[in-house]
Structure formats: structure tokens, C-alpha cells
Amino acid sequence: TSRLAVDMFDLKKQVQLVSDFSKNPVARLLGLEPTALADDEQNLTELKARIEKTIAILQGYEAQAQTDNSWQTREITVPLRAGKTLQFNGLDYLNNFALPAFYFHLMTCYNLLRAGGVPIGKADFYGMKLSD
């Protein structure tokens, strides 16, 4: 339930959003309906399982990935709350919405974990293994 400010989502929701901003943009850019996951995780074990599900979904999209660049001009509609939507072409969606949102929530998770005393650093963020 940790959060950086009272008006921000907690760690659980941040992980769920990282998951969503990993899998949903790929589906939309491929012209597919995003695979929905229930936001019902209650602990770290369940959040880790969600991450594994997200990876499996992304691996499933690999087989459907296009070799051309039609995704760049594909019209993307992003549903928002209260029935509103955002419209983008694929390239603008990726660069101006999906990637910034993904990294915002990923860095928020990282910062919450660091603030909570988890011994992680920049190398962990980059996925690098430092030699002894």
C-alpha cells in the first residue's frame, strides 16, 4: 500500500499499470484487442504472477508481429474514464503516450521499492548484472 504522495496510486496499482502499459500498446499497434487482466492482486506473490502473465501475453504477440511499418500510421483509440477517448496514429501513440506512461509507472515502482528499503539500483533498472 506504499505510495509517494497521498494522491498517487500505491505500489500494487503501479505494478498493474506497468503491466497494462506493456501489453496493451503492443496489442493496439498490432490491430488487436488488448488482453485484459483482472486488477485483483493482493500481495507481492500475486503481483509477480501478473508480471509473468504479462510476459506470456507479450510472447504470444511475437508470432503476430508485423514485419512492415503499418503500425506507425494505424489509427489508435485509447479508452479513458467517463467514456472519453484519445486518438493517435501509431507512431505518436507509441512515442507520446504509451512509452512515457510505461516509464512513468515503472520508475514510480522503482522509487517506491527504493523508499521501502529494497536494495536495488540503476543496474537493476537496466537489467544488468554486475560482476563481483
Side-chain angles (χ1 to χ4, degrees), residues 28 34 74-80 84-88 93:
R28 288 187 180 110
R74 176 172 279 119
E75 289 298 316
I76 306 292
T77 301
V78 179
L80 301 175
K84 297 183 182 196
T85 61
L86 294 175
Q87 299 286 129
F88 300 93
Y93 169 65

Side-chain angles (χ1 to χ4, degrees), residues 12-13 16 37-43 46-47 49-50 53:
K12 176 178 69 171
K13 185 64 176 177
Q16 292 166 344
L37 295 176
D39 291 340
D40 58 0
E41 296 82 12
Q42 297 301 315
N43 56 52
E46 292 175 1
L47 288 171
R50 183 188 179 106
K53 288 178 197 173

Side-chain angles (χ1 to χ4, degrees), residues 9-106:
F9 290 130
D10 64 8
L11 178 63
K12 176 178 69 171
K13 185 64 176 177
Q14 296 293 343
V15 171
Q16 292 166 344
L17 288 166
V18 169
S19 166
D20 290 344
F21 280 107
S22 297
K23 63 183 179 56
N24 294 356
V26 174
R28 288 187 180 110
L29 290 169
L30 290 172
L32 305 170
E33 187 66 29
T35 301
L37 295 176
D39 291 340
D40 58 0
E41 296 82 12
Q42 297 301 315
N43 56 52
L44 287 176
T45 300
E46 292 175 1
L47 288 171
K48 288 179 182 180
R50 183 188 179 106
I51 293 166
E52 293 299 322
K53 288 178 197 173
T54 302
I55 291 169
I57 290 166
L58 288 168
Q59 289 171 336
Y61 291 151
E62 282 184 81
Q64 301 173 50
Q66 300 176 12
T67 57
D68 64 37
N69 290 328
S70 65
W71 64 269
Q72 294 180 5
T73 56
R74 176 172 279 119
E75 289 298 316
I76 306 292
T77 301
V78 179
L80 301 175
R81 295 181 184 148
K84 297 183 182 196
T85 61
L86 294 175
Q87 299 286 129
F88 300 93
N89 69 43
L91 190 59
D92 287 340
Y93 169 65
L94 180 64
N95 289 328
N96 301 324
F97 184 78
L99 286 175
F102 169 80
Y103 282 110
F104 173 85
H105 294 291
L106 181 65

